[in-house]
Amino acid sequence: MMSWLVVGLGNPGPQYANARHNIGFLTVDELARRAGERFSASRGMHAETASTRIGPQGIGGPAPEKLVLAKPRTFMNESGRAVRKLSDFLDIEPDHIIVVHDELDLDPGRLRIKLGGGDNGHNGLKSIRAHLGTGDFYRVRLGIGRPQGHRAGADYVLGRFSKAEREELAIEVDDGAEAVISLINAGLGPTQNRFNN
C-alpha cells in the first residue's frame, strides 16, 4: 500500500511554539504522541519527521499503511520546499498528502476537511501548491478565527493563543488528529460528514 504524508504547518523555533499559526505543528505532535514516536531532523529534507503505521484500529503498532508525520523546518512561506523534498524522496503523490493548517475563516474549535482548492491567502498553502504544481492534496483546516478590531492578520496569526482559546485548543488538536486518522481509514466523504461542523 502507498504511504501517507501528513504535514503540520507552522514556523520553527521556540518563539513561535504556541502561536496560532502553529496549530498544524501541534496536531502532528499529537499524532506522534499517540504513536509513541518522536520527531527527528531528516537530513536534506528541510523537515522534522516521525514514522509510524496506521490501519483500521488507528495509529501505531502493526498496521498496513506507513504514515510519515512532518513539520517543515522552513518558515511558513517556504513550506512547499519541505513538502516537495519529502514527497519526492518518499514517492508520495499529492492525493496521499494531508496538510494540517490554521484557518482564519473558521472560528476557534471548528474544522473542515477538503481535497484541493485555492490557498485563501495562506502562505504555507501557496508555497505547497507552487512546489507541487497542484493544489490537489487534502487539507485539515483548523479554525483560529479572525482578529478583532484593526489588528493586522499577520500579527494575529503569529500571536499566542489567549487563555480562553487555550481551553478549547486541546479539543481542537485532538479533533484534528482524529480527522487525519479518519481521512486515511474511512475516506473523504465519511470524514467530512463526521467533522465538517
Side-chain angles (χ1 to χ4, degrees):
M1 291 191 179
M2 186 176 285
S3 300
W4 286 83
L5 174 62
V6 180
V7 182
L9 295 189
N11 285 307
Q15 67 270 41
Y16 300 110
N18 293 305
R20 293 180 184 91
H21 226 13
N22 279 35
I23 196 169
F25 275 14
L26 297 175
T27 303
V28 293
D29 282 342
E30 171 60 16
L31 287 164
R33 185 197 67 77
R34 293 184 186 193
E37 299 291 342
R38 293 184 179 214
F39 285 91
S40 60
S42 292
R43 192 172 182 180
M45 294 295 115
H46 309 300
E48 294 180 7
T49 62
S51 295
T52 185
R53 294 202 167 266
I54 188 166
Q57 302 305 312
I59 191 169
E65 297 196 70
K66 184 177 180 182
L67 178 62
V68 178
L69 307 172
K71 297 189 291 185
R73 298 182 82 187
T74 60
F75 284 101
M76 181 68 81
N77 62 354
E78 288 290 333
S79 299
R81 287 173 53 211
V83 175
R84 180 61 188 262
K85 280 267 190 183
L86 287 165
S87 65
D88 285 350
F89 179 75
L90 297 166
D91 195 25
I92 296 177
E93 295 295 326
D95 65 354
H96 273 66
I97 297 174
I98 302 170
V99 176
V100 185
H101 64 91
D102 59 300
E103 180 58 65
L104 286 166
D105 288 336
L106 293 174
D107 290 334
R110 301 186 68 123
L111 64 151
R112 294 280 190 280
I113 294 89
K114 63 184 275 191
L115 172 62
D119 54 58
N120 200 26
H122 194 291
N123 288 331
L125 295 178
K126 183 178 181 181
S127 175
I128 294 169
R129 285 171 56 88
H131 281 84
L132 291 182
T134 180
D136 292 336
F137 50 86
Y138 292 98
R139 299 104 184 276
V140 175
R141 304 160 61 212
L142 303 175
I144 60 169
R146 288 201 170 269
Q148 300 295 314
H150 299 290
R151 187 174 181 188
D155 291 338
Y156 175 73
V157 298
L158 294 177
R160 296 176 182 269
F161 289 100
S162 68
K163 183 179 179 182
E165 289 170 330
R166 285 197 303 271
E167 291 173 0
E168 291 185 349
L169 180 61
I171 297 171
E172 186 169 9
V173 165
D174 190 66
D175 285 346
E178 285 293 327
V180 168
I181 293 169
S182 175
L183 193 52
I184 294 170
N185 285 332
L188 180 61
T191 302
Q192 289 176 320
N193 290 338
R194 179 179 171 191
F195 289 99
N196 283 11
N197 52 26

